[in-house]
């Protein structure tokens, strides 16, 4: 078989008997595997850089490394403090999605919280968490991030989880159960709701 790549894009895949092309560089993949690029749907940073800083140079370094390792698309997982007045780093990341050097490799956001029960905080600072879902805070989060919020992780036992599920479903956001000590019945109940 063969794969024809032109200008960095797959143009055609030939399973058998590929045509002979003249003046085209050929790379033998004999004995190898060809796979699609990997998608990292939960990444905070690497190489001493963190999406929470929102700085273009840090995001460039993260994504350049990811691309060099075969990860072709990532969801940034910056830490957010709901009480921050300006969310400067989030706005900087949103700008990067439009103008950044590797914007093609940044597919949006996966927020881990803030709707995480404090007893299951993991590495998230407690001041970044909420023990219940506030409609106002959730609306602000959804308004600022818009369609760039792809995944939101939450604790299903948090008060107001039903509101969170309804609003996120309406916006097309994938919900992920995380940082929880809920039982199977509650997890299944949340899964059935969306």
């Amino acid at each position: 078989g063969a794969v024809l790549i032109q200008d960095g894009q797959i143009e055609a895949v030939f399973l058998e008997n590929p045509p002979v092309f003249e003046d085209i560089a050929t790379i033998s993949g004999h004995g190898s595997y060809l796979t699609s690029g990997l998608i990292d749907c939960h990444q905070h940073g690497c190489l001493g850089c963190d999406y929470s800083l929102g700085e273009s140079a840090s995001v460039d370094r993260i994504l350049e490394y990811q691309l060099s390792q075969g990860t072709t698309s990532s969801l940034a997982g910056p830490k957010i403090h709901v009480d921050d007045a300006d969310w400067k780093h989030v706005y900087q990341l949103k700008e990067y999605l439009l103008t950044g050097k590797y914007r093609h490799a940044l597919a949006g956001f996966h927020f881990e919280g803030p709707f995480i029960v404090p007893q299951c905080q993991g590495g998230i600072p407690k001041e970044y968490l909420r023990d219940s879902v506030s409609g106002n805070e959730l609306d602000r989060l959804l308004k600022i991030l818009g369609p760039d919020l792809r995944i939101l992780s939450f604790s299903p036992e948090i008060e107001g989880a039903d509101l969170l599920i309804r609003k996120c479903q309406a916006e097309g956001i994938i919900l992920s159960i995380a940082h929880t000590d809920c039982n199977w019945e509650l997890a299944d109940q949340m899964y059935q709701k969306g």
Side-chain angles (χ1 to χ4, degrees), residues 163-193:
L163 174 66
L164 178 74
I165 291 170
R166 282 194 313 276
K167 287 190 177 230
C168 287
Q169 277 182 328
E171 298 293 328
I173 298 163
I174 297 169
L175 289 168
S176 175
I177 293 176
H179 295 272
T180 182
D181 60 4
C182 77
N183 59 31
W184 167 252
E185 289 77 20
L186 180 58
D188 186 52
Q189 198 177 56
M190 292 295 128
Y191 177 78
Q192 298 303 324
K193 290 179 180 182

Side-chain angles (χ1 to χ4, degrees), residues 14-145:
F14 307 96
L15 299 179
E16 296 180 14
N17 305 319
V20 176
F21 295 98
E22 294 184 23
D23 300 325
I24 292 182
T26 304
I27 300 170
S28 173
H30 183 75
S32 301
Y33 295 96
L34 178 65
T35 66
S36 59
L38 302 173
I39 299 171
D40 188 338
C41 66
H42 183 107
Q43 214 234 6
H44 299 289
C46 63
L47 304 173
C49 298
D50 191 318
Y51 283 118
S52 295
L53 301 176
E55 299 165 351
S56 288
S58 291
V59 178
D60 283 349
R61 188 160 185 223
I62 293 166
L63 293 173
E64 184 172 18
Y65 177 76
Q66 291 283 84
L67 289 164
S68 77
Q69 301 301 306
T71 301
T72 56
S73 188
S74 297
L75 292 178
K79 293 181 183 87
I80 58 164
H81 193 304
V82 180
D83 292 334
D84 282 353
D86 58 8
W87 278 21
K88 180 180 175 184
H89 66 290
V90 174
Y91 285 110
Q92 288 172 319
L93 288 170
K94 284 181 66 71
E95 180 65 23
Y96 191 95
L97 286 169
L98 299 172
T99 63
K101 180 177 180 181
Y102 299 108
R103 65 186 172 275
H104 63 281
L106 189 60
F109 300 103
H110 175 170
F111 275 88
E112 192 175 16
F115 307 110
I116 302 286
V117 291
Q119 66 269 25
C120 298
Q121 75 186 73
I124 305 170
K126 281 193 179 187
E127 63 270 16
Y128 284 45
L129 304 178
R130 294 293 179 260
D131 56 7
S132 65
V133 177
S134 155
N136 290 337
E137 286 178 338
L138 180 57
D139 288 342
R140 178 173 184 236
L141 182 76
L142 297 175
K143 180 180 178 188
I144 291 172
L145 297 173

Side-chain angles (χ1 to χ4, degrees), residues 138-157:
L138 180 57
D139 288 342
R140 178 173 184 236
L141 182 76
L142 297 175
K143 180 180 178 188
I144 291 172
L145 297 173
D148 297 321
L149 178 58
R150 309 280 191 219
I151 301 174
L152 180 64
S153 293
F154 77 109
S155 300
E157 66 271 33

